[in-house]
Amino acid sequence: MRAAKLDPDLAAAIAEIESLGPPAWSDLSVEAARDLEDDLFSGPPEPPVADVRDLAFDGPHGEVPVRVYRPESAVDDSAESRALVHCHGGGWTLGTLDSVDGICRELATRADAVVVSVDYRLAPEHPFPVAVDEAAAAVAWVAETADSLGVDSDRIGVSGTSAGGALAVAASLRAREFGDLPEPAGQFLLYPIAGYDFETDSYRENADGPLLTRADMKWFYDQYLRSPVDAANPYAVPLRAPNLGALPTATVVTAGFDPLRDDGVALAERFEREGTPVEHRHYPAMAHGFCSLADRVDVAEAALSAVAADVRERL
């Protein structure tokens, strides 16, 4: 499941990041971690897309900002395009519309989709289940306003990286269980958080990273969960769901050098075993978050293109 060594392109990119001397997320206060993320992910908007609009909708906990990316094929609002509701990573504690701008632009361009990036409220100020509520509300809002957004209400998928992947699964579970929002047409989960076991092989092998550590994940969960009782809730920890069948067709991306690898593998295996169609794309020489380095790492570029192809095929 893990290559003998990191991909050389990725290793070079990680070395450059580490040369800046950033501390581990878990060694920082929440405020300092957010400041560091702003510094690490600042930069010009790339790649170009036809149109970007900042909007907002009334959610269950107040106004929720969203950023809507439209590729060239979707500039005509009269056309009905496929859409992705995207939830960013950051352990439910970090992340902004700006920090995930690059990958949303990539998905819009490569998948030929309108991407709606959700600026859900963050922990610890807004612990579980606030982010789940707002991710689900975003799916419902996109479906309700499909005409004005120029999207096909039957071709709305959910996507997410890391913590955002957990939120995407939670939205799918909620649609199945409660019917209070339209069932997404597909799930596209990039190195998702899915479990609450810090003693898996991948947590032990990759306890010190790169890019994400076991201590980081414990720290993120400490911010997100109101108490350990929440860890038994499948909307917080998808692998705690008694049944993961009859959900939208899924793509699950995992990386060999990721502490979350075995979470994603277990999620994909349970999807397949319990009746949810799934494409598991595993990259043994990659690390957590690698798709955000598609402009520098050939394997990441190929992986992101493969996910985009899945989006085009299913939505």
Side-chain angles (χ1 to χ4, degrees):
M1 295 297 289
R2 189 173 92 158
K5 59 182 180 180
L6 279 171
D7 173 89
D9 291 340
L10 180 61
I14 290 172
E16 185 174 328
I17 293 170
E18 291 179 343
S19 72
L20 302 174
W25 302 117
S26 53
D27 290 336
L28 298 170
S29 68
V30 170
E31 182 179 3
R34 290 173 181 167
D35 289 343
L36 175 61
E37 186 191 48
D38 289 343
D39 292 340
L40 290 175
F41 291 99
S42 61
E46 291 289 346
V49 293
D51 184 61
V52 180
R53 299 180 188 177
D54 285 344
L55 304 173
F57 67 89
D58 290 330
H61 304 282
E63 187 174 82
V64 180
V66 295
R67 184 169 292 170
V68 181
Y69 300 82
R70 307 183 71 83
E72 287 290 345
S73 62
V75 291
D76 180 1
D77 286 347
S78 66
E80 290 190 338
S81 302
R82 64 177 62 86
L84 273 180
V85 178
H86 185 80
C87 297
H88 63 74
W92 308 283
T93 304
L94 313 176
T96 65
L97 294 177
D98 290 338
S99 69
V100 75
D101 183 72
I103 199 165
C104 288
R105 289 169 176 270
E106 292 280 11
L107 287 170
T109 302
R110 294 170 185 247
D112 197 26
V114 173
V115 174
V116 180
S117 180
V118 185
D119 195 13
Y120 57 87
R121 284 168 171 77
L122 300 176
E125 299 91 338
H126 305 282
F128 173 82
V130 172
V132 172
D133 293 343
E134 296 191 336
V139 175
W141 176 76
V142 172
E144 291 165 2
T145 59
D147 288 345
S148 61
L149 291 173
V151 304
D152 184 341
S153 60
D154 292 325
R155 299 165 70 199
I156 300 170
V158 289
S159 62
T161 55
S162 195
L167 295 177
V169 177
S172 297
L173 283 169
R174 185 159 165 172
R176 186 192 69 182
E177 292 299 312
F178 296 104
D180 58 347
L181 65 148
E183 180 178 310
Q187 308 175 83
F188 306 92
L189 315 173
L190 280 62
Y191 21 87
I193 300 174
Y196 193 69
D197 178 0
F198 303 107
E199 297 300 328
T200 62
D201 288 345
S202 61
Y203 266 113
R204 289 195 297 268
E205 293 168 1
N206 306 300
D208 296 323
L211 301 180
L212 179 72
T213 70
R214 176 162 54 185
D216 290 340
M217 278 307 308
K218 291 180 177 179
W219 184 77
F220 285 134
Y221 265 124
D222 285 346
Q223 311 311 313
Y224 183 50
L225 303 182
R226 295 166 298 186
S227 77
V229 174
D230 282 339
N233 191 314
Y235 294 100
V237 181
L239 286 175
R240 297 291 171 89
N243 189 320
L244 288 169
L247 293 173
T249 300
T251 289
V252 180
V253 174
T254 54
F257 286 82
D258 186 355
L260 302 180
R261 180 194 70 212
D262 291 352
D263 281 10
V265 170
L267 186 67
E269 289 176 345
R270 284 196 56 193
F271 280 155
E272 183 171 17
R273 186 168 64 249
E274 295 170 18
T276 292
V278 61
E279 181 72 45
H280 179 200
R281 300 188 179 277
H282 179 63
Y283 299 88
M286 293 290 106
H288 188 77
F290 73 97
C291 286
S292 294
L293 298 168
D295 59 334
R296 303 171 62 183
V297 178
D298 288 345
V299 174
E301 196 283 329
L304 198 55
S305 292
V307 171
D310 290 345
V311 174
R312 293 195 304 272
E313 179 182 344
R314 295 177 194 157
L315 301 187

